Amino acid sequence: MIRSVIFDLDGTLLDRNISLYRFLVDQYDRIIKNTKNIDKESYIHRFIELDHRGYVWKDRVYQELIKEFDLPLDWNELLTDYKIGFCKHATPFPNTTELLENLIGKGYKLGMITNGFGDFQSSNIQALGIQEYFEVILISEIEGIRKPDPAIFNRASDLLGVRPEECVYVGDHPINDVTASKSAGMKGIWKEDTFYNDDFKYDGIVRDLLDIEKLIEQWS
């Protein structure tokens, strides 16, 4: 029987692609365009390439951008602006709040496991207005463990007071989310991301978050 649903953040509940694009447009308009006449879309496109879907930290991204575009700026200041300003553009996927309310209403315990820096991810969660739905939120920097280490999944189930086999984990990354959660004894739902191939094992696949309810009901 499924008693708990645990979520990834970026790419699962937080639409990072839209959030990042909106932040970059804002940062360009506030800072970049006032220092050098460079094309906005070229700058944003190159940032997104260097960012590698969030897996390259922004100190390296900004240093490379300053070098390539010959910007008379301090990368530390741009990084600070990113840390403070990204959350102002945090955008959830459609039906996020509706799904969480439905699951809570049906008695499921909710948790979240996300890789990233503590303050940064906490700010994004608060900006989305979803913190209150979760009994447990584990952020890798704070926990000292990163996905795909099964230990962070087991820690979440322990804190939720359920067995791993009573948990469903939902995430967009084939290895860090789906394969890792299954290795920890949970069911793994893949929130489909066309960036990745589907040549890995998952227990369910969803495009719309509300489809998660249907899968869980089948398993229960």
Side-chain angles (χ1 to χ4, degrees), residues 90-165:
T91 304
F93 278 102
N95 302 320
T96 291
T97 300
E98 183 179 352
L99 170 67
L100 298 178
E101 289 181 349
N102 290 350
L103 293 174
I104 289 287
K106 293 179 179 179
Y108 293 105
K109 294 171 172 281
L110 302 188
M112 184 188 301
I113 304 172
T114 177
N115 285 346
F117 293 96
D119 290 344
F120 184 78
Q121 293 294 56
S122 294
S123 296
N124 291 331
I125 295 166
Q126 291 173 5
L128 293 177
I130 59 175
Q131 188 168 2
E132 65 187 72
Y133 295 106
F134 296 91
E135 293 186 31
V136 171
I137 296 176
L138 302 184
I139 302 173
S140 64
E141 183 193 32
I142 296 172
E143 300 303 317
I145 315 171
R146 289 179 58 85
K147 296 181 298 181
D149 190 331
I152 197 167
F153 295 90
N154 294 140
R155 181 175 295 179
S157 63
D158 287 344
L159 291 171
L160 287 163
V162 295
R163 299 190 304 273
E165 58 266 28

Side-chain angles (χ1 to χ4, degrees), residues 150-188:
I152 197 167
F153 295 90
N154 294 140
R155 181 175 295 179
S157 63
D158 287 344
L159 291 171
L160 287 163
V162 295
R163 299 190 304 273
E165 58 266 28
E166 296 175 314
C167 298
V168 170
Y169 188 83
V170 184
D172 67 299
H173 196 282
I175 303 300
N176 292 346
D177 295 324
V178 183
T179 301
S181 61
K182 286 175 63 63
S183 295
M186 302 178 180
K187 286 190 178 297

Side-chain angles (χ1 to χ4, degrees), residues 38-78:
I38 61 175
D39 179 68
K40 178 190 291 188
E41 291 303 322
S42 296
Y43 175 83
I44 292 173
H45 177 73
R46 186 57 178 142
F47 185 108
I48 292 171
E49 281 186 334
L50 293 168
D51 174 68
H52 195 59
R53 299 175 65 81
Y55 289 98
V56 177
W57 187 232
K58 305 314 157 283
D59 53 355
R60 293 168 55 191
V61 172
Y62 281 120
Q63 288 177 62
E64 184 62 28
L65 286 170
I66 286 173
K67 177 182 176 181
E68 290 185 14
F69 289 97
D70 192 26
L71 297 173
L73 293 169
D74 184 341
W75 66 265
N76 285 287
E77 294 179 3
L78 291 175

